[in-house]
Amino acid sequence: MNYFVNATVFTGVEWLTGASVRVDNSRIQEVSTANIVLSDVPDNASIIDLNGDYLVPGMVDLQLYGGSEIFLNEQPTPEAVRHIYNSHARNGTTTLLPTIHSTSLDIMQQAMAAVQVVRNENPFGVPGIHLEGPYFNPIKRGAHSPAFVRTPAEGELEALFSTNADVIRILTLAPEVLTPEQRQTIQARKHANTLLSLGHSNATYRQAMDAFESGIPLATHLYNAMRGFESREPGVVGAVFDHPNVRASIIADGYHCDLATTRIARRLLGDRLFLISDALFANPPRPSFTLGQFVVHFEPDINGSSQSRPGRYVNDEGKLAGSAITLIDCVRLCVERAGLSLTDALRMASTVPAEIINLGHVLGKIQSGYVANLVRLDQRLAVKAVWSSGETRA
Ligand SMILES: [Zn+2]
């Protein structure tokens, strides 16, 4: 049993100062602003004095490709998934969806099987996989390899959903490249837990609105690899802004989009916007690696070694290829550079994504009954300690 005392707690809804949190059996038992009576604390309990530091819900990252050394496309194995989890958990991301970049059906299925193994061990840490592609519009493929971006071959969708379909939590696709029959097959065969997300798409405003109305509740990395907002054709971006319910992820790394665009999107979308890291390798970044047909290089921040912008990955086409950060870096950038409140940034990194994958009743908040995924941050938002399911991670 752990008692966290003298904490500035963000519950996911409000701030509590001088608060204490009692954790037992991997769950939060009680959150209180009443003084702890030391004589009431059982002998076997540890008291952790936070000295006023922030205690916030563990972050939930719905799109990232790798840990500090391995990424899923290169090594679609349970060991790689565990490594990815451990790398990000050290940095405060206690729930994540390992993400596979457009690749062969065989690699996708290996990755799904690997995530299924780790999900069984750690259901709240790795609740599933995000398949990013390969059914994309080649015009908006971004850093995905043209050799893999495709429309489904005969029988491919049936094969994709034949085994481990329940592990797919998000499937990003461009609806305009699919036939009505293929769209129907996906809707009919996907598991109820699978959310479709519109991305790497050149859909018009009308096509995107129709897709959101017919069973696609999400959009992937707002602004990037989607038809932009124009006066006579509002595009996918305009459809996301205009639709009443669709929710969109954004990569707030300071490179994929100007941080003013993050602020504008938050103002327009409120809790419909959430953060993803899009991380390929993070902490430390890898100098270079092969991704599909391309070699990707790490470039440090051109303005010097700013802590807030830890550099970027660029492939030999000159395109951005994933990010080099973890979700807490996005939170810090949103607060320090985009001018968002810490409350909004933390909700976008934890509370909202937990709700999106239907785990908002156990993850993304510090409340009684929730999984004890907790992050201690100092006043500069540096991670000082992390607990997942009540166990120390960092
Ligand atoms: Zn992408």
Side-chain angles (χ1 to χ4, degrees), residues 40-340:
D40 291 349
V41 175
D43 289 344
N44 62 348
S46 314
I47 295 181
I48 300 159
D49 189 336
L50 269 66
N51 289 316
D53 282 346
Y54 298 129
L55 191 66
V56 305
M59 275 155 275
V60 178
D61 195 341
L62 304 186
Q63 189 168 341
L64 58 84
Y65 311 93
S68 56
E69 285 162 27
I70 302 170
F71 71 113
L72 191 59
N73 275 65
E74 198 176 51
Q75 213 173 299
T77 63
E79 293 71 32
V81 175
R82 291 185 201 109
H83 162 81
I84 291 168
Y85 181 78
N86 292 335
S87 297
H88 286 267
R90 281 198 299 276
N91 293 287
T93 301
T94 49
T95 301
L96 55 83
L97 298 186
T99 303
I100 196 102
H101 213 247
S102 295
T103 182
S104 66
L105 179 62
D106 181 42
I107 299 283
M108 288 160 74
Q109 289 178 319
Q110 288 180 43
M112 287 161 63
V115 171
Q116 188 73 279
V117 169
V118 180
R119 182 172 75 158
N120 291 336
E121 301 162 0
N122 186 4
F124 296 118
V126 182
I129 191 171
H130 180 160
L131 301 180
E132 207 211 3
Y135 314 126
F136 285 168
N137 193 322
I139 295 169
K140 296 289 184 187
R141 67 178 168 78
H144 290 242
S145 296
F148 292 122
V149 169
R150 60 186 181 270
T151 52
E154 185 71 36
E156 182 172 337
L157 292 172
E158 289 78 1
L160 175 66
F161 295 117
S162 64
T163 318
N164 292 318
D166 62 320
V167 86
I168 309 171
R169 294 308 281 250
I170 298 181
L171 170 60
T172 294
L173 51 78
E176 77 276 13
V177 303
L178 301 170
T179 64
E181 293 72 32
Q182 288 168 335
R183 291 201 291 266
Q184 234 168 35
T185 302
I186 291 170
Q187 290 287 0
R189 301 217 171 212
K190 75 174 186 62
H191 190 270
N193 278 343
T194 304
L195 300 167
L196 301 181
S197 188
L198 190 154
H200 290 265
S201 164
N202 200 37
T204 61
Y205 168 84
R206 195 63 263 161
Q207 288 173 319
M209 284 302 244
D210 288 347
F212 297 148
E213 285 304 309
S214 56
I216 300 189
L218 300 177
T220 294
H221 46 55
L222 182 65
Y223 303 119
N224 294 114
M226 61 172 61
R227 189 192 282 262
F229 183 73
E230 298 281 351
S231 58
R232 284 177 293 276
E233 172 44 73
V236 177
V237 173
V240 169
F241 286 156
D242 205 25
H243 194 275
N245 308 119
V246 73
R247 302 178 107 161
S249 60
I250 191 163
I251 311 167
D253 67 345
Y255 295 100
H256 279 79
C257 43
D258 189 285
L259 286 161
T261 66
T262 305
R263 184 167 58 247
I264 292 164
R266 168 72 205 185
R267 198 177 294 151
L268 290 170
L269 299 176
D271 273 349
R272 295 201 286 120
L273 187 71
F274 63 101
L275 297 172
I276 52 172
S277 72
D278 204 50
L280 261 168
F281 295 102
N283 295 330
R286 200 156 90 172
S288 96
F289 55 93
T290 303
L291 183 65
Q293 294 165 254
F294 303 111
V295 177
V296 176
H297 299 278
F298 179 72
E299 289 183 354
D301 192 343
I302 40 173
N303 297 320
S305 58
S306 160
Q307 271 195 334
S308 298
R309 229 171 55 147
R312 61 182 181 173
Y313 288 116
V314 180
N315 75 10
D316 40 21
E317 286 191 309
K319 290 180 174 169
L320 284 175
S323 83
I325 58 176
T326 64
L327 212 49
I328 187 61
D329 299 309
C330 300
V331 168
R332 211 176 294 121
L333 280 161
C334 281
V335 172
E336 290 176 359
R337 299 218 188 168
L340 298 191

